[in-house]
PDB file of all heavy atoms in Angstrom:
ATOM      1  N   LEU M   1      96.991 112.771  95.752  1.00  0.00           N
ATOM      2  CA  LEU M   1      98.029 112.828  96.738  1.00  0.00           C
ATOM      3  C   LEU M   1      97.710 113.810  97.906  1.00  0.00           C
ATOM      4  O   LEU M   1      98.247 113.654  99.005  1.00  0.00           O
ATOM      5  CB  LEU M   1      99.334 113.330  96.078  1.00  0.00           C
ATOM      6  CG  LEU M   1      99.840 112.573  94.894  1.00  0.00           C
ATOM      7  CD1 LEU M   1     101.094 113.244  94.296  1.00  0.00           C
ATOM      8  CD2 LEU M   1     100.208 111.140  95.303  1.00  0.00           C
ATOM      9  N   ASP M   2      96.882 114.768  97.703  1.00  0.00           N
ATOM     10  CA  ASP M   2      96.579 115.776  98.713  1.00  0.00           C
ATOM     11  C   ASP M   2      95.493 115.362  99.651  1.00  0.00           C
ATOM     12  O   ASP M   2      94.623 114.465  99.360  1.00  0.00           O
ATOM     13  CB  ASP M   2      96.252 117.158  98.083  1.00  0.00           C
ATOM     14  CG  ASP M   2      94.997 117.094  97.182  1.00  0.00           C
ATOM     15  OD1 ASP M   2      94.752 116.080  96.537  1.00  0.00           O
ATOM     16  OD2 ASP M   2      94.245 118.034  97.150  1.00  0.00           O
ATOM     17  N   THR M   3      95.453 115.958 100.863  1.00  0.00           N
ATOM     18  CA  THR M   3      94.399 115.789 101.854  1.00  0.00           C
ATOM     19  C   THR M   3      93.865 117.117 102.216  1.00  0.00           C
ATOM     20  O   THR M   3      94.297 118.155 101.716  1.00  0.00           O
ATOM     21  CB  THR M   3      94.953 115.038 103.113  1.00  0.00           C
ATOM     22  OG1 THR M   3      95.775 116.018 103.852  1.00  0.00           O
ATOM     23  CG2 THR M   3      95.823 113.893 102.771  1.00  0.00           C
ATOM     24  N   VAL M   4      92.861 117.129 103.133  1.00  0.00           N
ATOM     25  CA  VAL M   4      92.291 118.357 103.648  1.00  0.00           C
ATOM     26  C   VAL M   4      92.916 118.844 104.958  1.00  0.00           C
ATOM     27  O   VAL M   4      92.540 119.827 105.484  1.00  0.00           O
ATOM     28  CB  VAL M   4      90.756 118.176 103.888  1.00  0.00           C
ATOM     29  CG1 VAL M   4      90.022 117.785 102.607  1.00  0.00           C
ATOM     30  CG2 VAL M   4      90.472 117.120 104.975  1.00  0.00           C
ATOM     31  N   PHE M   5      93.954 118.100 105.431  1.00  0.00           N
ATOM     32  CA  PHE M   5      94.375 118.341 106.794  1.00  0.00           C
ATOM     33  C   PHE M   5      95.590 119.295 106.837  1.00  0.00           C
ATOM     34  O   PHE M   5      96.453 119.276 105.984  1.00  0.00           O
ATOM     35  CB  PHE M   5      94.776 117.021 107.474  1.00  0.00           C
ATOM     36  CG  PHE M   5      93.673 116.017 107.586  1.00  0.00           C
ATOM     37  CD1 PHE M   5      93.491 114.982 106.663  1.00  0.00           C
ATOM     38  CD2 PHE M   5      92.679 116.274 108.534  1.00  0.00           C
ATOM     39  CE1 PHE M   5      92.380 114.104 106.803  1.00  0.00           C
ATOM     40  CE2 PHE M   5      91.602 115.363 108.666  1.00  0.00           C
ATOM     41  CZ  PHE M   5      91.460 114.324 107.763  1.00  0.00           C
ATOM     42  N   PRO M   6      95.661 120.131 107.856  1.00  0.00           N
ATOM     43  CA  PRO M   6      96.703 121.175 107.963  1.00  0.00           C
ATOM     44  C   PRO M   6      98.018 120.624 108.416  1.00  0.00           C
ATOM     45  O   PRO M   6      98.113 119.453 108.921  1.00  0.00           O
ATOM     46  CB  PRO M   6      96.129 122.186 109.027  1.00  0.00           C
ATOM     47  CG  PRO M   6      95.281 121.304 109.892  1.00  0.00           C
ATOM     48  CD  PRO M   6      94.631 120.245 108.974  1.00  0.00           C
ATOM     49  N   GLU M   7      99.082 121.423 108.254  1.00  0.00           N
ATOM     50  CA  GLU M   7     100.393 121.068 108.693  1.00  0.00           C
ATOM     51  C   GLU M   7     100.367 120.751 110.228  1.00  0.00           C
ATOM     52  O   GLU M   7      99.738 121.431 110.985  1.00  0.00           O
ATOM     53  CB  GLU M   7     101.360 122.245 108.443  1.00  0.00           C
ATOM     54  CG  GLU M   7     102.775 122.006 108.724  1.00  0.00           C
ATOM     55  CD  GLU M   7     103.495 121.263 107.647  1.00  0.00           C
ATOM     56  OE1 GLU M   7     103.027 121.267 106.486  1.00  0.00           O
ATOM     57  OE2 GLU M   7     104.492 120.570 107.942  1.00  0.00           O
ATOM     58  N   GLY M   8     101.049 119.697 110.561  1.00  0.00           N
ATOM     59  CA  GLY M   8     101.120 119.247 111.922  1.00  0.00           C
ATOM     60  C   GLY M   8     100.192 118.116 112.311  1.00  0.00           C
ATOM     61  O   GLY M   8     100.354 117.463 113.355  1.00  0.00           O
ATOM     62  N   THR M   9      99.230 117.749 111.377  1.00  0.00           N
ATOM     63  CA  THR M   9      98.321 116.752 111.727  1.00  0.00           C
ATOM     64  C   THR M   9      98.982 115.381 111.761  1.00  0.00           C
ATOM     65  O   THR M   9      98.639 114.562 112.614  1.00  0.00           O
ATOM     66  CB  THR M   9      97.152 116.696 110.675  1.00  0.00           C
ATOM     67  OG1 THR M   9      96.592 118.011 110.557  1.00  0.00           O
ATOM     68  CG2 THR M   9      96.067 115.715 111.077  1.00  0.00           C
ATOM     69  N   ALA M  10      99.919 115.114 110.901  1.00  0.00           N
ATOM     70  CA  ALA M  10     100.566 113.794 110.819  1.00  0.00           C
ATOM     71  C   ALA M  10     101.343 113.535 112.143  1.00  0.00           C
ATOM     72  O   ALA M  10     101.348 112.433 112.681  1.00  0.00           O
ATOM     73  CB  ALA M  10     101.533 113.691 109.624  1.00  0.00           C
ATOM     74  N   ALA M  11     101.948 114.573 112.720  1.00  0.00           N
ATOM     75  CA  ALA M  11     102.637 114.384 113.994  1.00  0.00           C
ATOM     76  C   ALA M  11     101.634 114.223 115.144  1.00  0.00           C
ATOM     77  O   ALA M  11     101.880 113.445 116.064  1.00  0.00           O
ATOM     78  CB  ALA M  11     103.555 115.596 114.223  1.00  0.00           C
ATOM     79  N   GLU M  12     100.531 114.942 115.006  1.00  0.00           N
ATOM     80  CA  GLU M  12      99.494 114.833 116.089  1.00  0.00           C
ATOM     81  C   GLU M  12      98.742 113.517 116.044  1.00  0.00           C
ATOM     82  O   GLU M  12      98.401 112.965 117.098  1.00  0.00           O
ATOM     83  CB  GLU M  12      98.525 116.028 115.894  1.00  0.00           C
ATOM     84  CG  GLU M  12      97.403 116.052 116.888  1.00  0.00           C
ATOM     85  CD  GLU M  12      96.392 117.199 116.599  1.00  0.00           C
ATOM     86  OE1 GLU M  12      96.796 118.112 115.924  1.00  0.00           O
ATOM     87  OE2 GLU M  12      95.230 117.057 117.087  1.00  0.00           O
ATOM     88  N   ARG M  13      98.440 113.032 114.842  1.00  0.00           N
ATOM     89  CA  ARG M  13      97.632 111.855 114.725  1.00  0.00           C
ATOM     90  C   ARG M  13      98.310 110.925 113.633  1.00  0.00           C
ATOM     91  O   ARG M  13      97.782 110.761 112.540  1.00  0.00           O
ATOM     92  CB  ARG M  13      96.240 112.155 114.281  1.00  0.00           C
ATOM     93  CG  ARG M  13      95.373 112.873 115.304  1.00  0.00           C
ATOM     94  CD  ARG M  13      93.912 113.002 114.885  1.00  0.00           C
ATOM     95  NE  ARG M  13      93.678 113.910 113.758  1.00  0.00           N
ATOM     96  CZ  ARG M  13      93.465 113.491 112.549  1.00  0.00           C
ATOM     97  NH1 ARG M  13      93.467 112.230 112.215  1.00  0.00           N
ATOM     98  NH2 ARG M  13      93.259 114.377 111.585  1.00  0.00           N
ATOM     99  N   PRO M  14      99.498 110.321 113.947  1.00  0.00           N
ATOM    100  CA  PRO M  14     100.159 109.504 112.974  1.00  0.00           C
ATOM    101  C   PRO M  14      99.373 108.237 112.685  1.00  0.00           C
ATOM    102  O   PRO M  14      98.449 107.845 113.395  1.00  0.00           O
ATOM    103  CB  PRO M  14     101.495 109.187 113.636  1.00  0.00           C
ATOM    104  CG  PRO M  14     101.244 109.264 115.055  1.00  0.00           C
ATOM    105  CD  PRO M  14     100.193 110.419 115.239  1.00  0.00           C
ATOM    106  N   PHE M  15      99.794 107.565 111.602  1.00  0.00           N
ATOM    107  CA  PHE M  15      99.115 106.334 111.212  1.00  0.00           C
ATOM    108  C   PHE M  15      99.141 105.298 112.374  1.00  0.00           C
ATOM    109  O   PHE M  15     100.135 105.066 113.032  1.00  0.00           O
ATOM    110  CB  PHE M  15      99.938 105.749 110.035  1.00  0.00           C
ATOM    111  CG  PHE M  15      99.316 104.446 109.520  1.00  0.00           C
ATOM    112  CD1 PHE M  15      98.343 104.447 108.562  1.00  0.00           C
ATOM    113  CD2 PHE M  15      99.774 103.202 109.938  1.00  0.00           C
ATOM    114  CE1 PHE M  15      97.770 103.295 108.036  1.00  0.00           C
ATOM    115  CE2 PHE M  15      99.296 102.013 109.439  1.00  0.00           C
ATOM    116  CZ  PHE M  15      98.282 102.035 108.482  1.00  0.00           C
ATOM    117  N   ASN M  16      98.023 104.719 112.576  1.00  0.00           N
ATOM    118  CA  ASN M  16      97.854 103.661 113.544  1.00  0.00           C
ATOM    119  C   ASN M  16      96.663 102.809 113.236  1.00  0.00           C
ATOM    120  O   ASN M  16      95.764 103.214 112.510  1.00  0.00           O
ATOM    121  CB  ASN M  16      97.763 104.195 115.005  1.00  0.00           C
ATOM    122  CG  ASN M  16      96.437 104.845 115.303  1.00  0.00           C
ATOM    123  OD1 ASN M  16      95.569 104.227 115.935  1.00  0.00           O
ATOM    124  ND2 ASN M  16      96.167 106.050 114.817  1.00  0.00           N
ATOM    125  N   ILE M  17      96.743 101.583 113.734  1.00  0.00           N
ATOM    126  CA  ILE M  17      95.587 100.637 113.485  1.00  0.00           C
ATOM    127  C   ILE M  17      94.956 100.326 114.814  1.00  0.00           C
ATOM    128  O   ILE M  17      95.628  99.867 115.749  1.00  0.00           O
ATOM    129  CB  ILE M  17      96.137  99.351 112.760  1.00  0.00           C
ATOM    130  CG1 ILE M  17      96.666  99.719 111.384  1.00  0.00           C
ATOM    131  CG2 ILE M  17      95.013  98.370 112.624  1.00  0.00           C
ATOM    132  CD1 ILE M  17      97.273  98.575 110.679  1.00  0.00           C
ATOM    133  N   GLU M  18      93.659 100.527 114.885  1.00  0.00           N
ATOM    134  CA  GLU M  18      92.880 100.189 116.049  1.00  0.00           C
ATOM    135  C   GLU M  18      91.806  99.163 115.651  1.00  0.00           C
ATOM    136  O   GLU M  18      90.919  99.574 114.918  1.00  0.00           O
ATOM    137  CB  GLU M  18      92.233 101.460 116.652  1.00  0.00           C
ATOM    138  CG  GLU M  18      93.266 102.465 117.147  1.00  0.00           C
ATOM    139  CD  GLU M  18      92.589 103.701 117.687  1.00  0.00           C
ATOM    140  OE1 GLU M  18      91.334 103.691 117.899  1.00  0.00           O
ATOM    141  OE2 GLU M  18      93.261 104.707 117.971  1.00  0.00           O
ATOM    142  N   GLY M  19      91.934  97.936 116.078  1.00  0.00           N
ATOM    143  CA  GLY M  19      90.992  96.922 115.605  1.00  0.00           C
ATOM    144  C   GLY M  19      91.150  96.753 114.079  1.00  0.00           C
ATOM    145  O   GLY M  19      92.263  96.454 113.613  1.00  0.00           O
ATOM    146  N   ASP M  20      90.059  96.920 113.367  1.00  0.00           N
ATOM    147  CA  ASP M  20      90.099  96.791 111.910  1.00  0.00           C
ATOM    148  C   ASP M  20      90.363  98.068 111.194  1.00  0.00           C
ATOM    149  O   ASP M  20      90.443  98.139 109.964  1.00  0.00           O
ATOM    150  CB  ASP M  20      88.760  96.165 111.429  1.00  0.00           C
ATOM    151  CG  ASP M  20      88.744  95.839 109.929  1.00  0.00           C
ATOM    152  OD1 ASP M  20      89.740  95.300 109.440  1.00  0.00           O
ATOM    153  OD2 ASP M  20      87.748  96.172 109.237  1.00  0.00           O
ATOM    154  N   TRP M  21      90.544  99.188 111.920  1.00  0.00           N
ATOM    155  CA  TRP M  21      90.572 100.496 111.298  1.00  0.00           C
ATOM    156  C   TRP M  21      91.967 101.122 111.270  1.00  0.00           C
ATOM    157  O   TRP M  21      92.593 101.283 112.311  1.00  0.00           O
ATOM    158  CB  TRP M  21      89.579 101.419 112.033  1.00  0.00           C
ATOM    159  CG  TRP M  21      88.163 100.911 111.926  1.00  0.00           C
ATOM    160  CD1 TRP M  21      87.485 100.367 113.014  1.00  0.00           C
ATOM    161  CD2 TRP M  21      87.345 100.864 110.802  1.00  0.00           C
ATOM    162  NE1 TRP M  21      86.237  99.948 112.570  1.00  0.00           N
ATOM    163  CE2 TRP M  21      86.124 100.296 111.186  1.00  0.00           C
ATOM    164  CE3 TRP M  21      87.492 101.246 109.445  1.00  0.00           C
ATOM    165  CZ2 TRP M  21      85.034 100.070 110.330  1.00  0.00           C
ATOM    166  CZ3 TRP M  21      86.449 101.058 108.589  1.00  0.00           C
ATOM    167  CH2 TRP M  21      85.266 100.447 109.024  1.00  0.00           C
ATOM    168  N   ALA M  22      92.398 101.440 110.107  1.00  0.00           N
ATOM    169  CA  ALA M  22      93.610 102.207 109.910  1.00  0.00           C
ATOM    170  C   ALA M  22      93.255 103.715 109.982  1.00  0.00           C
ATOM    171  O   ALA M  22      92.388 104.146 109.241  1.00  0.00           O
ATOM    172  CB  ALA M  22      94.270 101.875 108.592  1.00  0.00           C
ATOM    173  N   LYS M  23      93.992 104.406 110.851  1.00  0.00           N
ATOM    174  CA  LYS M  23      93.658 105.808 111.052  1.00  0.00           C
ATOM    175  C   LYS M  23      94.837 106.718 110.763  1.00  0.00           C
ATOM    176  O   LYS M  23      95.997 106.276 110.757  1.00  0.00           O
ATOM    177  CB  LYS M  23      93.171 106.052 112.484  1.00  0.00           C
ATOM    178  CG  LYS M  23      91.871 105.229 112.846  1.00  0.00           C
ATOM    179  CD  LYS M  23      91.409 105.467 114.228  1.00  0.00           C
ATOM    180  CE  LYS M  23      90.106 104.700 114.511  1.00  0.00           C
ATOM    181  NZ  LYS M  23      89.570 104.987 115.907  1.00  0.00           N
ATOM    182  N   GLY M  24      94.538 108.024 110.597  1.00  0.00           N
ATOM    183  CA  GLY M  24      95.564 108.990 110.305  1.00  0.00           C
ATOM    184  C   GLY M  24      95.123 109.883 109.155  1.00  0.00           C
ATOM    185  O   GLY M  24      94.156 109.559 108.459  1.00  0.00           O
ATOM    186  N   PRO M  25      95.739 111.050 108.979  1.00  0.00           N
ATOM    187  CA  PRO M  25      95.322 111.990 107.963  1.00  0.00           C
ATOM    188  C   PRO M  25      95.393 111.454 106.575  1.00  0.00           C
ATOM    189  O   PRO M  25      96.477 111.169 106.047  1.00  0.00           O
ATOM    190  CB  PRO M  25      96.184 113.183 108.181  1.00  0.00           C
ATOM    191  CG  PRO M  25      97.392 112.649 108.850  1.00  0.00           C
ATOM    192  CD  PRO M  25      96.907 111.571 109.724  1.00  0.00           C
ATOM    193  N   GLY M  26      94.227 111.265 105.916  1.00  0.00           N
ATOM    194  CA  GLY M  26      94.249 110.735 104.554  1.00  0.00           C
ATOM    195  C   GLY M  26      94.288 109.213 104.460  1.00  0.00           C
ATOM    196  O   GLY M  26      94.473 108.679 103.391  1.00  0.00           O
ATOM    197  N   ALA M  27      94.159 108.509 105.598  1.00  0.00           N
ATOM    198  CA  ALA M  27      94.283 107.096 105.572  1.00  0.00           C
ATOM    199  C   ALA M  27      93.305 106.465 104.612  1.00  0.00           C
ATOM    200  O   ALA M  27      93.667 105.505 103.878  1.00  0.00           O
ATOM    201  CB  ALA M  27      94.003 106.512 107.016  1.00  0.00           C
ATOM    202  N   ALA M  28      92.049 107.026 104.545  1.00  0.00           N
ATOM    203  CA  ALA M  28      91.095 106.543 103.575  1.00  0.00           C
ATOM    204  C   ALA M  28      91.180 107.351 102.297  1.00  0.00           C
ATOM    205  O   ALA M  28      91.162 106.902 101.169  1.00  0.00           O
ATOM    206  CB  ALA M  28      89.707 106.579 104.182  1.00  0.00           C
ATOM    207  N   ASP M  29      91.131 108.746 102.467  1.00  0.00           N
ATOM    208  CA  ASP M  29      90.971 109.696 101.398  1.00  0.00           C
ATOM    209  C   ASP M  29      92.279 110.468 101.169  1.00  0.00           C
ATOM    210  O   ASP M  29      92.434 111.567 101.751  1.00  0.00           O
ATOM    211  CB  ASP M  29      89.810 110.596 101.733  1.00  0.00           C
ATOM    212  CG  ASP M  29      89.416 111.529 100.602  1.00  0.00           C
ATOM    213  OD1 ASP M  29      89.881 111.292  99.475  1.00  0.00           O
ATOM    214  OD2 ASP M  29      88.694 112.450 100.888  1.00  0.00           O
ATOM    215  N   CYS M  30      93.257 110.000 100.368  1.00  0.00           N
ATOM    216  CA  CYS M  30      93.013 108.960  99.380  1.00  0.00           C
ATOM    217  C   CYS M  30      94.285 108.075  99.369  1.00  0.00           C
ATOM    218  O   CYS M  30      94.656 107.507  98.346  1.00  0.00           O
ATOM    219  CB  CYS M  30      92.810 109.596  98.017  1.00  0.00           C
ATOM    220  SG  CYS M  30      92.222 108.494  96.680  1.00  0.00           S
ATOM    221  N   LYS M  31      94.926 107.972 100.556  1.00  0.00           N
ATOM    222  CA  LYS M  31      96.223 107.206 100.596  1.00  0.00           C
ATOM    223  C   LYS M  31      95.943 105.680 100.326  1.00  0.00           C
ATOM    224  O   LYS M  31      96.844 105.066  99.726  1.00  0.00           O
ATOM    225  CB  LYS M  31      96.887 107.388 101.938  1.00  0.00           C
ATOM    226  CG  LYS M  31      97.207 108.880 102.259  1.00  0.00           C
ATOM    227  CD  LYS M  31      98.059 109.527 101.217  1.00  0.00           C
ATOM    228  CE  LYS M  31      98.329 111.034 101.590  1.00  0.00           C
ATOM    229  NZ  LYS M  31      98.975 111.244 102.880  1.00  0.00           N
ATOM    230  N   SER M  32      94.801 105.201 100.766  1.00  0.00           N
ATOM    231  CA  SER M  32      94.536 103.773 100.522  1.00  0.00           C
ATOM    232  C   SER M  32      94.399 103.498  99.022  1.00  0.00           C
ATOM    233  O   SER M  32      94.836 102.489  98.504  1.00  0.00           O
ATOM    234  CB  SER M  32      93.304 103.340 101.254  1.00  0.00           C
ATOM    235  OG  SER M  32      92.107 103.834 100.661  1.00  0.00           O
ATOM    236  N   GLY M  33      93.742 104.438  98.304  1.00  0.00           N
ATOM    237  CA  GLY M  33      93.554 104.197  96.853  1.00  0.00           C
ATOM    238  C   GLY M  33      94.826 104.374  96.095  1.00  0.00           C
ATOM    239  O   GLY M  33      95.118 103.610  95.159  1.00  0.00           O
ATOM    240  N   ALA M  34      95.644 105.359  96.457  1.00  0.00           N
ATOM    241  CA  ALA M  34      96.968 105.487  95.799  1.00  0.00           C
ATOM    242  C   ALA M  34      97.817 104.279  96.000  1.00  0.00           C
ATOM    243  O   ALA M  34      98.470 103.737  95.074  1.00  0.00           O
ATOM    244  CB  ALA M  34      97.711 106.758  96.313  1.00  0.00           C
ATOM    245  N   ASN M  35      97.781 103.711  97.195  1.00  0.00           N
ATOM    246  CA  ASN M  35      98.536 102.518  97.498  1.00  0.00           C
ATOM    247  C   ASN M  35      97.965 101.308  96.750  1.00  0.00           C
ATOM    248  O   ASN M  35      98.703 100.437  96.349  1.00  0.00           O
ATOM    249  CB  ASN M  35      98.495 102.329  99.027  1.00  0.00           C
ATOM    250  CG  ASN M  35      99.716 101.577  99.570  1.00  0.00           C
ATOM    251  OD1 ASN M  35     100.776 101.563  98.944  1.00  0.00           O
ATOM    252  ND2 ASN M  35      99.576 100.974 100.736  1.00  0.00           N
ATOM    253  N   MET M  36      96.650 101.287  96.627  1.00  0.00           N
ATOM    254  CA  MET M  36      95.999 100.167  95.959  1.00  0.00           C
ATOM    255  C   MET M  36      96.457 100.098  94.478  1.00  0.00           C
ATOM    256  O   MET M  36      96.748  99.001  93.937  1.00  0.00           O
ATOM    257  CB  MET M  36      94.477 100.335  96.009  1.00  0.00           C
ATOM    258  CG  MET M  36      93.746  99.074  95.825  1.00  0.00           C
ATOM    259  SD  MET M  36      93.848  97.964  97.261  1.00  0.00           S
ATOM    260  CE  MET M  36      92.955  98.849  98.552  1.00  0.00           C
ATOM    261  N   MET M  37      96.613 101.239  93.839  1.00  0.00           N
ATOM    262  CA  MET M  37      97.100 101.275  92.431  1.00  0.00           C
ATOM    263  C   MET M  37      98.527 100.763  92.383  1.00  0.00           C
ATOM    264  O   MET M  37      98.880  99.967  91.489  1.00  0.00           O
ATOM    265  CB  MET M  37      97.007 102.712  91.915  1.00  0.00           C
ATOM    266  CG  MET M  37      95.560 103.152  91.691  1.00  0.00           C
ATOM    267  SD  MET M  37      95.373 104.946  91.634  1.00  0.00           S
ATOM    268  CE  MET M  37      96.530 105.396  90.320  1.00  0.00           C
ATOM    269  N   LEU M  38      99.375 101.173  93.317  1.00  0.00           N
ATOM    270  CA  LEU M  38     100.749 100.719  93.366  1.00  0.00           C
ATOM    271  C   LEU M  38     100.824  99.212  93.506  1.00  0.00           C
ATOM    272  O   LEU M  38     101.488  98.569  92.712  1.00  0.00           O
ATOM    273  CB  LEU M  38     101.476 101.419  94.504  1.00  0.00           C
ATOM    274  CG  LEU M  38     102.841 100.798  94.947  1.00  0.00           C
ATOM    275  CD1 LEU M  38     103.858 101.006  93.853  1.00  0.00           C
ATOM    276  CD2 LEU M  38     103.292 101.424  96.276  1.00  0.00           C
ATOM    277  N   PHE M  39     100.063  98.680  94.447  1.00  0.00           N
ATOM    278  CA  PHE M  39     100.205  97.226  94.679  1.00  0.00           C
ATOM    279  C   PHE M  39      99.493  96.436  93.597  1.00  0.00           C
ATOM    280  O   PHE M  39      99.925  95.258  93.338  1.00  0.00           O
ATOM    281  CB  PHE M  39      99.691  96.896  96.090  1.00  0.00           C
ATOM    282  CG  PHE M  39     100.734  97.108  97.149  1.00  0.00           C
ATOM    283  CD1 PHE M  39     101.056  98.322  97.612  1.00  0.00           C
ATOM    284  CD2 PHE M  39     101.481  95.968  97.546  1.00  0.00           C
ATOM    285  CE1 PHE M  39     102.061  98.475  98.553  1.00  0.00           C
ATOM    286  CE2 PHE M  39     102.493  96.100  98.476  1.00  0.00           C
ATOM    287  CZ  PHE M  39     102.796  97.372  98.967  1.00  0.00           C
ATOM    288  N   ALA M  40      98.501  96.896  92.948  1.00  0.00           N
ATOM    289  CA  ALA M  40      97.887  96.183  91.821  1.00  0.00           C
ATOM    290  C   ALA M  40      99.016  95.974  90.721  1.00  0.00           C
ATOM    291  O   ALA M  40      99.113  94.936  90.176  1.00  0.00           O
ATOM    292  CB  ALA M  40      96.719  96.939  91.279  1.00  0.00           C
ATOM    293  N   MET M  41      99.786  97.055  90.497  1.00  0.00           N
ATOM    294  CA  MET M  41     100.825  96.905  89.507  1.00  0.00           C
ATOM    295  C   MET M  41     101.989  96.053  89.960  1.00  0.00           C
ATOM    296  O   MET M  41     102.579  95.300  89.174  1.00  0.00           O
ATOM    297  CB  MET M  41     101.336  98.278  89.039  1.00  0.00           C
ATOM    298  CG  MET M  41     100.291  99.110  88.310  1.00  0.00           C
ATOM    299  SD  MET M  41      99.441  98.251  86.941  1.00  0.00           S
ATOM    300  CE  MET M  41     100.806  97.742  85.923  1.00  0.00           C
ATOM    301  N   LYS M  42     102.257  96.068  91.250  1.00  0.00           N
ATOM    302  CA  LYS M  42     103.287  95.177  91.808  1.00  0.00           C
ATOM    303  C   LYS M  42     102.833  93.701  91.604  1.00  0.00           C
ATOM    304  O   LYS M  42     103.656  92.851  91.277  1.00  0.00           O
ATOM    305  CB  LYS M  42     103.466  95.450  93.299  1.00  0.00           C
ATOM    306  CG  LYS M  42     104.303  96.697  93.601  1.00  0.00           C
ATOM    307  CD  LYS M  42     104.721  96.723  95.062  1.00  0.00           C
ATOM    308  CE  LYS M  42     105.710  97.839  95.332  1.00  0.00           C
ATOM    309  NZ  LYS M  42     106.374  97.736  96.608  1.00  0.00           N
ATOM    310  N   HIS M  43     101.572  93.438  91.818  1.00  0.00           N
ATOM    311  CA  HIS M  43     101.054  92.058  91.634  1.00  0.00           C
ATOM    312  C   HIS M  43     101.153  91.647  90.143  1.00  0.00           C
ATOM    313  O   HIS M  43     101.639  90.562  89.891  1.00  0.00           O
ATOM    314  CB  HIS M  43      99.604  91.993  92.104  1.00  0.00           C
ATOM    315  CG  HIS M  43      99.453  92.249  93.561  1.00  0.00           C
ATOM    316  ND1 HIS M  43      98.276  92.768  94.067  1.00  0.00           N
ATOM    317  CD2 HIS M  43     100.276  92.124  94.585  1.00  0.00           C
ATOM    318  CE1 HIS M  43      98.407  92.922  95.409  1.00  0.00           C
ATOM    319  NE2 HIS M  43      99.643  92.571  95.710  1.00  0.00           N
TER     320      HIS M  43
END
């Protein structure tokens, strides 16, 4: 659940998609994986 980014990063760089890339603090490490587990069980 945790990331390496300090307080205020989410407001400064919120989630957004540019082309094929989802960006934002922890978008890859590890929010995508946590979400993948959730949706695998939803399926």
